[in-house]
Amino acid sequence: MSNRFDKSKLPSRHVSVGPERAPHRSYYYAMGWEEEDIAKPFVGVASAGNDSAPCNTTLNAQADIAREGVIAAGGTPFRFNTITVTDGIAMGHQGMKSSLVSREVIADSVELSVRGHCYDALVTFAGCDKSLPGMMMAMLRLNVPSIFVYGGSILPGSHKGEDVTVVDVFEAVGQYAANNCPLQELIELEKVACPGHGACGGQFTANTMACVGEAIGLSLPNSNMAPAPYKSRADIATAAGKQVMTLLELDLKPRDICTKEAFENAARVVAATGGSTNAALHLPAMAHECGIDYNLFDVAETFKSTPYIADLKPGGKYVAKDMHEAGGVYMLMKTMLDGGYLHGNCRTVSGKTLGENIDEITWNPDQKVIYDVKTPITETGGVVGLRGTLAPEGAIVKVAGMERLSFTGTARVFECEEDAFAAVERREIVDGTVVVIRYEGPRGGPGMREMLSTTAALYGQGMGEKVALITDGRFSGGTRGFCIGHVGPEAAAGGPIALVEDGDQISIDANKGTIDLLVDEETLERRRKDWQANVTNYGAGALWRYAQNVGPAYKGAITHPGAQGETHIYSDI
Amino acid sequence: MKPIFIQIFKRPKLTIPLLCLPLLAACGDDEAKLAAAQNAALVGNKIECALNGADMFSKICATERVSAEDGTILMIRHSDGGFKRFRILTDGRGLEVAEGFNDTHIEIIDETYIILSSGNDKYKLQAQFKGGLAPSDTWPLEENSRAEDAQANSPENNAAEQNDIADKEVGPIGSPGVPYQVPQ
């Protein structure tokens, strides 16, 4: 089998070929590999597996099964691990500032492990929020033949006969605070909401980016919606291990797959599923890794012309397991391609084009989760880009499931999420308020926290559609209500959001894509002269380092020059 | 009431006790069937069900256990007089529809409940997993007993079942219950 590959041209030759590499080979013999194995291509199997949260608990087992696939197809696998920060646990406290930073650490750590050990190909396993884009960013950065595998979602919990997810627990906290939910019921709910392994079940960030993996072509067709506990995950892991060897043989690399058109496909699928606004941060960051200029406004433009067709939580009824049973991401893409919303000629890790993969699918009119594009839930995407005097560098709002698409109200300004959450808990937020939470941007937080605890608490109090919330931070994929995130420039960079004062009028129109601060320019100029940047509580360590390097949200909050600054690509060493 | 232990998964071995009703008299004509169903609904062990594609579960179905020549039948009666019969299997596959197209699907909700789906109907059944559902013990779960059927049943023993599987194997990539393969 090893004859299929020319080891003299692969990166692993630097650690395994020639007399001078005898010490290196000693380590491989120590781990049980034979001469024949060392002569084969080296495949890194990167796992974000750990015990920190159920989204990650099956990843190491799946990665180990992928190793078997690599071996069966003539490669030698090396599993290594990276870190994760699970948003559901980091949420609502200072720990959330580590979340987005972890995306960069994951990408960097995979890059360093692959560079250090000279792997020729990569299979990556992720299950939780930032680890998905982090892994895909690493794949694009390194540009060795790679496959991304999602660990799968959790099965829905059941409470009083209804499917529930962890977001129901976040919202129940708000109901409890509003005396609408007895403590005992909250405790009962928290015990049943997450019944086992897997990432959050709704179309939150993990499932959104899992859909992106398939739409952009980096994941095997219809592989990511199978829930984490299912046995088919083992089959998919084996298939990924085998297929990466085929990609190595074909020399089909991530940057051959992820073209501008592929990013447009991914953005369309995000919009069609009412996916997480985080995709508008992660897609530009992924594009940056391969030198494609694809920013928030490009994402928003794609969103604007995409019908919303998947009835998924948090805006809709169903969870990822239902999506899987309805035919998966490819069933969704079947109707989208038929409707002319996708570029079918983009290549994928199957070795075939997206269109050829979709040809394998027969549309199922009987399933209830995915609507035909001819009869969508709404005509335009579930996520909308905004721009205006309050956000010259743009902002984003998830409108899937919302009845109200415009809002004008009175600003109530908070300098951090904790202050806003406390005000919500005290029930100080009245109808018609535009809650502004600032200095939560990539640099100002630092770390661009998500505000799920605050938005869920508002929703739990029945205020979800009666107030709007604006931040230079982020919102979780689980957020519901009129919540605008990614406002740029951020307050720490002196953006207009830094100049808002209590009582100002703010107008948002998701139909028109506008967000405006209704204050005259003379007043704003006076405030601008008095403005001073905030000082964060992070004067050292990873968060300090991140704050020094991070760029604006509309470009994906990236921390390095990307492909445009490359002097070489790893896969060419 | 003695629980019946049925095995749903092959790896690891888990067992589920289904709490069923005592046997009700089988009836020959529609009126008698309706009477029996209503009787079951009135006095039986009521369970939550979502019928005809309904989203919400209501406690309007009732279960009973029926001994048959080829094993034990779980009978679930609907409040409108309709019913479905499921054969309780002892070979580790769980349940299958006793007559007609076998579209049974079992989904674990938590350590105490499963949802049994058949056509447009769903039933929430009490279950107890031996040893509980500790994460480290339960990965991976069987996705769909029919996939297991494809490997476990020989064609001569179950031709109808094999036809069903054959149909599924030409379905979409990654369909539930179909072994995953990269499109060639």
Side-chain angles (χ1 to χ4, degrees), chain A residues 202-241:
Chain A
Q203 192 65 348
F204 314 142
T205 304
N207 284 324
T208 298
M209 294 309 294
C211 291
V212 163
E214 291 194 38
I216 208 165
L218 292 177
S219 293
L220 291 172
N222 254 0
S223 61
N224 284 346
M225 288 297 105
Y230 283 2
K231 183 175 177 292
S232 56
R233 293 247 55 102
D235 301 333
I236 291 162
T238 306

Side-chain angles (χ1 to χ4, degrees), chain A residues 117-131:
Chain A
H117 305 116
C118 293
Y119 298 137
D120 305 316
L122 198 51
V123 184
T124 63
F125 286 83
C128 204
D129 301 316
K130 309 306 164 276
S131 54

Side-chain angles (χ1 to χ4, degrees), chain A residues 43-65:
Chain A
V43 179
V45 179
S47 168
N50 57 49
D51 296 341
S52 62
C55 35
N56 306 317
T57 45
T58 69
L59 296 177
N60 286 345
Q62 293 187 49
D64 284 343
I65 293 169

Side-chain angles (χ1 to χ4, degrees), chain A residues 72-359:
Chain A
T76 300
F78 296 89
R79 196 192 95 189
F80 62 94
N81 281 61
T82 184
I83 62 129
T84 63
V85 172
T86 296
D87 290 6
I89 292 175
M91 195 73 70
H93 54 95
Q94 290 285 310
M96 193 63 201
K97 292 181 175 174
S98 302
S99 167
L100 185 59
V101 183
S102 76
R103 184 190 74 180
E104 313 306 305
V105 173
I106 290 162
D108 292 351
S109 66
V110 172
E111 178 196 358
L112 294 178
S113 190
V114 170
R115 281 186 181 275
H117 305 116
C118 293
Y119 298 137
D120 305 316
L122 198 51
V123 184
T124 63
F125 286 83
C128 204
D129 301 316
K130 309 306 164 276
S131 54
L132 283 80
M135 289 292 195
M136 289 190 269
M137 286 163 67
M139 290 160 60
L140 289 160
R141 188 182 301 174
L142 294 160
N143 202 35
V144 287
S146 308
I147 293 177
F148 171 73
V149 187
Y150 177 47
S153 77
I154 203 168
L155 295 171
S158 181
H159 185 60
K160 294 184 173 176
E162 290 196 23
D163 285 355
V164 289
T165 71
V166 69
V167 173
D168 293 288
V169 188
F170 276 103
E171 291 182 359
V173 172
Q175 290 171 347
Y176 168 71
N179 291 322
N180 292 331
C181 172
L183 181 60
Q184 188 55 38
E185 189 169 330
L186 178 63
I187 292 169
E188 284 171 16
L189 180 60
E190 75 183 42
K191 288 180 177 173
V192 300
C194 299
H197 302 290
C200 301
Q203 192 65 348
F204 314 142
T205 304
N207 284 324
T208 298
M209 294 309 294
C211 291
V212 163
E214 291 194 38
I216 208 165
L218 292 177
S219 293
L220 291 172
N222 254 0
S223 61
N224 284 346
M225 288 297 105
Y230 283 2
K231 183 175 177 292
S232 56
R233 293 247 55 102
D235 301 333
I236 291 162
T238 306
K242 289 180 179 174
Q243 183 65 14
V244 80
M245 298 306 295
T246 303
L247 296 183
L248 197 56
E249 201 171 1
L250 296 171
D251 197 29
L252 183 56
K253 296 171 180 171
R255 295 189 195 181
D256 302 325
I257 291 168
C258 294
T259 58
K260 181 87 175 271
E261 287 74 23
F263 278 98
E264 287 171 2
N265 286 344
R268 285 223 184 271
V269 166
V270 172
T273 58
S276 166
T277 52
N278 277 321
L281 196 67
H282 300 323
L283 286 174
M286 287 168 62
H288 179 72
E289 297 290 352
C290 47
I292 294 172
D293 188 12
Y294 193 67
N295 61 36
L296 171 71
F297 299 111
D298 298 310
V299 176
E301 196 60 32
T302 306
F303 285 173
K304 200 187 293 179
S305 57
T306 307
Y308 168 43
I309 58 172
D311 191 7
L312 296 169
K313 284 175 181 269
K317 275 190 269 187
Y318 298 102
V319 294
K321 178 188 78 74
D322 303 312
M323 177 88 164
H324 170 60
E325 289 169 0
V329 181
Y330 267 73
M331 186 62 71
L332 177 104
M333 292 199 291
K334 173 77 177 171
T335 183
M336 292 181 74
L337 183 68
D338 289 348
Y341 292 99
L342 295 177
H343 304 285
N345 59 347
C346 294
R347 302 184 76 179
T348 73
V349 290
S350 74
K352 301 165 82 170
T353 66
L354 190 75
E356 287 169 335
N357 292 339
I358 291 173
D359 281 345

